[in-house]
Amino acid sequence: MKENGILASALIHRMAIEPLGDGLEDEAYIQRARMIVLVLLGGLILPDGSGCKIPLMWLTQLRDVEAASMISWASAALATLYHNLCEASMGKRSDIGGPTVLLQLWVWERMPTLRPDFVAARIHTNNTPCALMWTGSYMINRAPKHSVRHYREQLSLLQNNQFIWMPYVDRQLPDSCLDMNNSWRSVTYIVCWAIVEAHEPERVVRQFGGTPFIPELRDWGFNETHFKTNRRGKAKTNWAVQNKAYIQYWERRSKFVTNAYMEPLADHMQVMRTRQYMEWYFKITITYITQPGRLPEVGMNTVASASTVQVSLSTHQPSWHL
């Protein structure tokens, strides 16, 4: 135990030294199932910033193993990732929680300049998780580690033709990933205990083959303190009651599925709407993250200097999409 949590290493060690045999009581297998789920939750799907501690709150979700299979763990993981990315970008954080492996896979799928070179060719087996494609050995000279400078430079100089907008078109995906009425197209809330985030698929229409448009600004009912909400000092809070309205909205998510932005458009309409979107986009954001004028470092990860970014912005601005 450590600070109201269970050490993941202790659970893994316990399972390693006590393998299960046949002919045991059912409770022994149920206990082992709970241990495996806890390791997955605390180490992969919903880890906290510590990287080693599994909050005890997950035990309450595993009293009934069958009921646990009905929980939308995927939406909870996405809500947690959004929340932690938001916190990491706005505060002085030295760590980050949430399923950051999803972020890494998202980057590798869409930004070839940021992924390592693998020893063997990447092949996706039909109807298997896309993440399995990225297992294997990679070349050490093309896999920079712990190099924030390298990745900042690559992101700052990213061109439109270096980003893969629809990364799964050449793969055989399950029907659940292609259903036009599925919940991943729903404009709704996603909830994980104290965390509540908005799910707006209309902001990423290009990955579905749609034409980008200026998104509608919705009032989600969040006040200025909403995203600072956490579980610290609230051990007795019943979050199912606290977030009842958001959960009920999620349970009706099939009513809020929208396909309006996927309508086919004539070529000239696509060009016009894309141009309008980019004009709006450049007014609300910046397209580089390195300090302008800084010279590149000498070494394996040397890339074009960030000082060229300002020139690139003025000459190639219509092609910059981040």
Side-chain angles (χ1 to χ4, degrees):
M1 301 293 293
K2 181 180 180 182
E3 297 176 357
N4 298 321
I6 305 173
L7 289 176
S9 57
L11 284 177
I12 295 172
H13 178 69
R14 176 73 176 271
M15 289 187 287
I17 65 175
E18 294 184 5
L20 289 183
D22 298 328
L24 301 177
E25 296 292 333
D26 289 347
E27 186 62 25
Y29 300 108
I30 293 175
Q31 287 177 349
R32 182 54 56 91
R34 291 191 180 110
M35 294 171 72
I36 293 172
V37 171
L38 282 176
V39 171
L40 288 174
L41 286 175
L44 182 65
I45 302 173
L46 293 164
D48 60 16
S50 70
C52 64
K53 184 182 66 177
I54 304 172
L56 288 175
M57 66 183 189
W58 297 122
L59 281 174
T60 64
Q61 303 299 311
L62 302 179
R63 291 192 182 102
D64 186 337
V65 177
E66 293 296 330
S69 67
M70 303 302 293
I71 296 174
S72 178
W73 296 107
S75 61
L78 198 59
T80 304
L81 179 60
Y82 287 171
H83 180 79
N84 278 277
L85 287 174
C86 183
E87 280 197 336
S89 66
M90 298 178 66
K92 295 181 179 179
R93 289 281 299 274
S94 59
D95 54 31
I96 182 173
T100 51
V101 65
L102 291 180
L103 180 64
Q104 179 180 344
L105 292 170
W106 185 92
V107 170
W108 283 7
E109 289 281 0
R110 291 162 174 79
M111 303 182 193
T113 60
L114 294 184
R115 73 173 69 136
D117 285 345
F118 286 80
V119 174
R122 303 292 89 215
I123 299 175
H124 176 246
T125 304
N126 291 346
N127 296 308
T128 61
C130 291
L132 289 178
M133 179 176 169
W134 301 107
T135 58
S137 302
Y138 47 76
M139 300 178 185
I140 187 64
N141 64 323
R142 286 284 295 123
K145 297 181 179 180
H146 310 295
S147 179
V148 175
R149 183 177 293 107
H150 167 81
Y151 292 108
R152 282 179 174 168
E153 289 278 2
Q154 291 294 328
L155 285 171
S156 292
L157 299 173
L158 190 69
Q159 299 291 320
N160 184 44
N161 60 3
Q162 295 175 316
F163 192 94
I164 300 174
W165 292 103
M166 299 180 66
Y168 309 118
V169 293
D170 59 344
R171 305 185 200 177
Q172 185 67 40
L173 301 177
D175 292 340
S176 59
C177 296
L178 304 173
D179 185 354
M180 292 292 285
N181 294 317
N182 215 305
S183 58
W184 46 267
R185 290 186 183 273
S186 178
V187 180
T188 185
Y189 297 94
I190 46 180
V191 183
C192 181
W193 288 73
I195 296 172
V196 179
E197 294 283 342
H199 186 253
E200 299 187 82
E202 294 163 314
R203 290 181 175 267
V204 289
V205 296
R206 291 194 68 170
Q207 75 176 30
F208 302 134
T211 304
F213 65 100
I214 300 175
E216 176 186 351
L217 294 179
R218 294 185 176 86
D219 182 6
W220 290 95
F222 298 149
N223 57 37
E224 59 183 11
T225 63
H226 173 80
F227 295 105
K228 297 180 181 179
T229 301
N230 55 53
R231 296 180 291 105
R232 296 186 184 92
K234 305 181 182 68
K236 296 183 179 180
T237 300
N238 187 328
W239 294 106
V241 174
Q242 184 79 8
N243 294 324
K244 182 178 179 180
Y246 302 125
I247 295 172
Q248 288 177 339
Y249 202 99
W250 158 258
E251 290 174 343
R252 295 183 292 119
R253 61 193 177 277
S254 61
K255 298 182 181 296
F256 308 110
V257 172
T258 174
N259 293 313
Y261 52 83
M262 295 300 296
E263 59 192 20
L265 297 174
D267 290 345
H268 72 281
M269 289 296 295
Q270 291 185 23
V271 172
M272 182 183 69
R273 200 160 79 173
T274 300
R275 183 184 298 115
Q276 291 173 343
Y277 173 83
M278 293 310 301
E279 290 175 354
W280 166 82
Y281 179 77
F282 283 118
K283 290 179 181 178
I284 67 167
T285 190
I286 59 173
T287 53
Y288 58 90
I289 57 177
T290 53
Q291 182 179 357
R294 181 181 60 77
L295 296 177
E297 297 292 323
V298 178
M300 179 185 72
N301 297 327
T302 300
V303 295
S305 170
S307 61
T308 65
V309 172
Q310 290 179 318
V311 177
S312 298
L313 284 176
S314 62
T315 58
H316 298 91
Q317 189 169 13
S319 67
W320 281 70
H321 300 213
L322 282 186

